[in-house]
Amino acid sequence: MTRSRVECLDGLRALAAMWVLVGHCLLLTGWRVPILGEPDLGVDLFIMLSGFLMVFHYQLRQDNEPWQRPETWLKFWTRRYFRIAPLFYVMLFLALALGPYLYES
């Protein structure tokens, strides 16, 4: 049986996401904490792990979804859209609604 998850990488991606969040909070508040105060490194780590996991999952599905078929591309982009878009639009709404208040703070 082939495993479809790499649990330790989920934890590392969560830590990278928290690093980005804390790093941006530190930038906004002016506090200085070595390493954590550089959210660009957390972004790099998160993107690298995400890219690895995308290729890993593609290789698990390559027999059922060959990359050369247009249906595979459609399935890929549909999955990506519905994974990212809902949270993006919720956060966009919150940013637009609360942005002026947060900026004044």
Side-chain angles (χ1 to χ4, degrees):
M1 179 177 149
T2 305
R3 294 185 55 136
S4 63
R5 290 189 66 91
V6 184
E7 288 86 8
C8 63
L9 293 186
D10 289 341
L12 277 176
R13 283 193 332 156
L15 287 174
M18 289 302 296
W19 184 356
V20 173
L21 177 67
V22 169
H24 282 101
C25 290
L26 291 172
L27 289 174
L28 290 173
T29 60
W31 290 16
R32 301 285 177 244
V33 177
I35 304 295
L36 284 179
E38 299 182 35
D40 54 330
L41 297 175
V43 170
D44 291 344
L45 177 61
F46 185 87
I47 295 296
M48 182 181 66
L49 293 172
S50 296
F52 169 80
L53 288 171
M54 287 174 68
V55 171
F56 176 77
H57 286 112
Y58 163 69
Q59 288 183 339
L60 291 178
R61 288 192 301 268
Q62 72 184 13
D63 293 334
N64 298 333
E65 298 179 16
W67 206 233
Q68 297 79 12
R69 291 190 350 217
E71 304 88 54
T72 299
W73 287 83
L74 180 63
K75 287 179 184 177
F76 171 79
W77 287 111
T78 302
R79 278 193 296 263
R80 294 303 304 155
Y81 177 80
F82 284 106
R83 182 177 177 101
I84 295 169
L87 182 60
F88 170 77
Y89 286 113
V90 168
M91 296 309 293
L92 179 62
F93 173 77
L94 288 174
L96 292 173
L98 300 176
Y101 171 74
L102 293 174
Y103 182 71
E104 288 179 10
S105 298

